[in-house]
Amino acid sequence: MGFEKEVRSQGNAIIVFTLTNMASCSRTQVISLYRMLIKESKKFPSYNYRTYALRRVKDSFRENLHVDNPKTLDMLLNQARENLAVIRRQVSIGQMYTAQRTIVEETGVHRDL
């Protein structure tokens, strides 16, 4: 996945991988995946599942903010893609069965005590 440039040194060809282009590509992938996870997590009909999923996504990305190892980054990206698929399945299942809204979710209702 890296970009190559060839360096010639006294007749011997040496291939050097530049990771800056790979890192910027991965950065856009990470941001895109983060946005998709947040967007899908907001679709949970249940307040508890919705807040849990949003909190887990944000905490996971915050925890792995400074990962520099490409292999670890690929592993984390694959794991996030799997989690996105799970969230999408759970959202579709959750939308099949309606649940009563909690008091926290009630909007527009203001009671004066």
Side-chain angles (χ1 to χ4, degrees):
M1 250 184 110
F3 296 92
E4 299 177 0
K5 72 177 180 180
E6 189 175 317
V7 178
R8 294 215 178 251
S9 134
Q10 297 173 346
N12 298 330
I14 301 170
I15 297 179
V16 178
F17 292 94
T18 58
L19 296 177
T20 55
N21 292 334
M22 190 170 96
S24 67
C25 179
S26 294
R27 179 177 166 82
T28 58
Q29 289 175 355
V30 169
I31 291 170
S32 173
L33 191 56
Y34 177 77
R35 287 180 180 161
M36 285 190 289
L37 283 162
I38 293 293
K39 184 178 177 181
E40 288 297 319
S41 295
K42 288 180 179 180
K43 292 180 182 178
F44 273 109
S46 171
Y47 173 79
N48 292 329
Y49 288 124
R50 186 171 52 247
T51 56
Y52 174 75
L54 287 168
R55 186 175 63 243
R56 288 283 300 172
V57 168
K58 290 175 184 177
D59 289 345
S60 296
F61 275 81
R62 205 173 290 133
E63 180 182 319
N64 298 309
L65 184 64
H66 300 291
V67 173
D68 292 334
N69 187 354
K71 289 182 182 181
T72 306
L73 186 62
D74 285 339
M75 182 194 67
L76 290 169
L77 284 173
N78 288 333
Q79 187 178 17
R81 287 184 191 106
E82 290 172 7
N83 288 338
L84 179 62
V86 169
I87 289 173
R88 285 181 174 159
R89 282 193 303 269
Q90 290 303 117
V91 165
S92 65
I93 290 171
Q95 290 173 346
M96 290 180 195
Y97 305 100
T98 58
Q100 217 174 12
R101 293 177 66 96
T102 62
I103 293 174
V104 178
E105 292 179 285
E106 296 294 328
T107 58
V109 178
H110 298 285
R111 293 188 214 172
D112 293 329
L113 298 175

